[in-house]
Amino acid sequence: MKMKYAILSLFLAGAPGVAALAQKATLTKLWSTDTTLKVPESVYFDGKRNVLYVTNIDGEPWGADGQGFVSKVSPKTGKIEQLRWVEGLNAPKGMGVHKNRLYVADLDAVVVIDIDKGAIEKRIPIAGATGLNDVTVAPNGYVFVTDSKQKTVHLVVPTISDAYISKGLKGPNGILASPAGLLVLDDNSVNLVQADKSLKKVAPASSGADGIEHVKGDEYIVSCWKGDVYYVNIKDNTADKILDTQAEKLQTADIGYDARKKIVYIPTFFGNHVTAYQLTIN
């Protein structure tokens, strides 16, 4: 128990102070990949290697069919460099990177990929898990994953927790180890995990809140699966819609973000492509 509380204190210590009010933000389209991707669910920008990792479900969204794979895409042009970089997954979704390992949420296990080798190193099964959805890696290397179906958050590295957080969750999806603390998208809201592991709603979101990325201070971008993206301020409890692709029947799943260039990468799920947008804060 002491270890669990110590983990949370790593986030809560050093939380940011007062930030300026969120400025109005806009997204401008830069490029889209071709449509050879197969139900892309998540994008992760690896700044160290200057590449995008894209998880492809290539089948039923929750199907254990072995058809899932990870692609490598150029963050500059959107060219698909390796469509089937790593294969042998089921319905892969959110990702996180620590050192030379890519951690991928895949139904009932977290798949660990050796990035240099481009191969699966091992699988970390989680007992009882059925809907692992998103991954985040804290600065200290601790890996967390959400289970949307079992309504839990698990600690995976350095040790596996049966249910690191479960109280109050209704169907957690996106998760982010942020400067403010551990943020979880659940119940159409952005929620900050408190020291006792309860949840505090810090900003609204629409249904299907999926991906979250930190921009600066108390400001974040949140994508919602049905096709809307928000610029969120967790200090002011505000969310401004900056993109809506519902009329085009394009989903906005688990986003990636290049913080240096302020580029947002959005996977379109059934649209079978990834689109890059320039974020401008006026």
Side-chain angles (χ1 to χ4, degrees):
M1 183 65 71
K2 290 182 179 179
M3 183 191 76
K4 293 180 179 179
Y5 279 94
I7 293 168
L8 274 176
S9 69
L10 291 172
F11 294 106
L12 298 173
V18 176
L21 294 177
Q23 298 167 288
K24 184 175 177 59
T26 57
L27 291 177
T28 304
K29 183 177 176 179
L30 298 176
W31 52 253
S32 285
T33 66
D34 61 33
T35 55
T36 56
L37 297 171
K38 302 295 184 182
V39 193
E41 198 281 337
S42 180
V43 179
Y44 184 92
F45 172 68
D46 184 344
K48 179 180 179 180
R49 300 168 183 85
N50 194 34
V51 68
L52 300 175
Y53 305 119
V54 181
T55 53
N56 296 257
I57 293 173
D58 192 20
E60 293 298 321
W62 299 103
D65 51 21
Q67 296 179 192
F69 60 92
V70 181
S71 302
K72 292 176 75 172
V73 175
S74 166
K76 182 177 181 180
T77 65
K79 179 183 178 182
I80 298 175
E81 297 177 343
Q82 287 183 261
L83 179 61
R84 295 180 176 271
W85 173 55
V86 176
E87 299 182 280
L89 290 84
N90 288 304
K93 297 180 175 66
M95 296 171 283
V97 168
H98 183 62
K99 295 183 177 179
N100 189 44
R101 301 295 182 270
L102 176 67
Y103 295 86
V104 186
D106 195 20
L107 295 183
D108 59 357
V110 173
V111 177
V112 184
I113 294 173
D114 183 314
I115 295 174
D116 287 343
K117 295 180 180 178
I120 294 174
E121 178 179 90
K122 63 180 178 178
R123 288 176 167 85
I124 305 174
I126 298 177
T130 58
L132 299 185
N133 206 329
D134 196 19
V135 171
T136 191
V137 181
N140 60 3
Y142 284 18
V143 180
F144 298 85
V145 61
T146 57
D147 187 329
S148 298
K149 292 192 174 184
Q150 297 301 318
K151 304 176 183 179
T152 55
V153 171
H154 296 275
L155 172 66
V156 179
V157 174
T159 58
I160 301 174
S161 68
D162 291 335
Y164 184 71
I165 304 172
S166 59
K167 184 179 179 181
L169 292 171
K170 296 184 177 181
N173 190 335
I175 188 168
L176 181 67
S178 79
L182 194 60
L183 296 172
V184 180
L185 302 182
D186 185 63
D187 193 22
N188 303 335
S189 302
V190 182
N191 303 273
L192 179 63
V193 178
Q194 304 297 289
D196 62 357
K197 292 197 273 187
S198 63
L199 301 178
K200 177 184 178 182
K201 293 185 178 181
V202 291
S206 69
S207 61
D210 201 328
I212 179 168
E213 292 287 346
H214 182 238
V215 178
K216 63 175 182 176
D218 297 304
E219 299 167 26
Y220 297 80
I221 297 176
V222 173
S223 61
C224 300
W225 186 87
K226 65 181 181 179
D228 45 349
V229 178
Y230 294 83
Y231 196 76
V232 166
N233 187 308
I234 64 170
K235 178 179 178 291
D236 300 329
N237 194 30
T238 59
D240 298 320
K241 186 183 289 191
I242 57 175
L243 183 70
D244 191 331
T245 60
Q246 295 176 76
E248 302 167 66
K249 297 183 179 179
L250 290 175
Q251 292 78 44
T252 47
D254 186 11
I255 56 176
Y257 183 59
D258 179 344
R260 186 174 68 85
K261 295 183 178 179
K262 294 183 173 59
I263 299 176
V264 184
Y265 302 98
I266 301 179
T268 61
F269 209 76
F270 293 126
N272 291 325
H273 64 273
V274 170
T275 299
Y277 293 88
Q278 181 68 59
L279 173 68
T280 301
I281 304 171
N282 300 318

